[in-house]
Amino acid sequence: MEKLILMRRKKSLVEEYAESLSGKSKKTVDAYVRAVRQLTEWIAERPGSAGVFRPEQFTKTAMEIYLNELQKNGYSVSHRNKVKAAASSFANWLIEEKEMMGRNPTRRIPIPAEASMAPRELDSDQRYVLRSLVERHCDLRGKAIFALGYWAALRVSDVSWLRIEDVHIGPKVGWIRVGHKGNKYREIDVINEVRRGLAEYLEDGRKYKESPYVFTSQRADRLTEAGIEHWFRKLKSKATKDEWEFIHDVTFHDLRHDFAHRARENGWTLEEVAYYLGHITKRGTPAIQTTARYTQVSRKQLKDKLKLIK
C-alpha cells in the first residue's frame, strides 16, 4: 500500500513540476521533464529507495554518481550540463514549492567545460574498429550518420537538423548546407563515402516521407541529438571485448576532432579546416584559435619527430 502511494506521489511530483514550467517553451519543458524523469527513476533503483523516488534520497552524492555514470556512458559535456540544469530546477521546485528538501544537491558539482574541447585524435586501431563496427552492424541510416561524422566532421546538431532541401547529391558530385549551431550556415563539398551513404539511405526510403529532415526516428519526424548519441553508444555496445578496449570512451564528437587531425596531416591549412568545420567568427572570418584547439600538437607527434633530430 505504501509503495503504491509513493508511486502515485512520484508521478504527481514529476507532473506537477512539469506544470510549473508552463512559462517556458515546449522544447525546454520536454527536455527538462525527460531529464528529471530519468534521474528520479535512476534514484528509485538505488539501495534504500525501495523502488520508488523519495526526495530525501535526492542527495549531492546521488547527483555526482549519476553525472559520472552519464560520462562513462559517453554522454557529452553539453548533455550533462543540461541534465544538471534540469535537476537544479527540479530541486529548487521541491524546496520552494513543495518544501520537501532543505538544500539544492546540484550546487558546487563541477562539470569541466574544457572536457568538451579536449582534442581527440584516434589511432589506426580505433579507426579500424569503428569502421568495422559500422560495416558489420549498421543499417543504411547508421552508415549515413557515421559518414557525416567521420568523413564530413559534422556536429551532432548538424546531423540532427540536416534538411532534405539542403542535401544535393548526384552520381559524381555531392554538397550539403549545414550549420545549425549558431545559425552559421555554410556549404561544403563531401567525398564519395558521404555522398554514397546519403544517396543509398534516401533512395531506400526508410524515413517519413512527409518529414523535411534527412534523419527521422520511429517516434518523431527528426532524429534528435540525444537520439544520435544513443545510436552511437548502441553501436559501440556491439563491439567484442577486445574491440571495446579501443573505443569505449570515443564519442561521436571525437569523429569531428579526428577529421581535423587527418585534414591537417594531409596538408590542409588551419583556415581551410576552420571553414570546413564551421569555425567562423561573427565577421565571417576563420576562427583559427578554435581550430587550433582541435588540432593541437600531441605528445605522440613530438615523440615521432624527436627521432628525426640528428
Side-chain angles (χ1 to χ4, degrees), residues 80-182:
R80 282 179 278 140
N81 273 317
K82 291 177 182 177
V83 169
K84 181 183 174 184
S88 178
S89 171
F90 180 56
N92 285 333
W93 178 78
L94 287 173
I95 295 168
E96 299 170 3
E97 300 296 328
K98 307 300 290 183
E99 298 183 351
M100 290 182 172
M101 296 176 59
R103 62 177 60 184
N104 191 323
T106 69
R107 294 186 62 188
R108 299 186 180 86
I109 296 181
I111 299 179
E114 62 270 15
S116 65
M117 293 302 298
R120 184 70 182 270
E121 180 180 8
L122 306 182
D123 60 34
S124 58
D125 287 331
Q126 291 171 316
R127 293 166 183 162
Y128 173 82
V129 170
L130 287 172
R131 293 176 63 181
S132 179
L133 286 174
V134 170
E135 183 176 352
R136 284 166 16 215
H137 299 294
C138 280
D139 56 12
L140 293 178
R141 186 186 73 162
K143 290 178 179 178
I145 291 173
F146 180 80
L148 287 169
Y150 188 82
W151 295 110
L154 262 59
R155 298 182 177 92
V156 174
S157 60
D158 289 335
V159 178
S160 175
W161 291 91
L162 184 62
R163 301 173 69 92
I164 294 177
E165 66 182 15
D166 291 327
V167 175
H168 305 269
I169 301 296
K172 296 182 179 180
V173 297
W175 63 274
I176 56 179
R177 182 175 182 266
V178 295
H180 173 75
K181 184 178 180 181

Side-chain angles (χ1 to χ4, degrees), residues 213-236:
Y213 299 102
V214 172
F215 298 105
T216 60
S217 69
Q218 295 179 346
R219 299 180 180 179
D221 66 350
R222 180 179 67 84
L223 181 61
T224 64
E225 290 93 324
I228 294 172
E229 291 177 339
H230 173 76
W231 163 81
F232 193 66
R233 290 193 301 275
K234 188 175 181 180
L235 170 65
K236 294 193 301 177

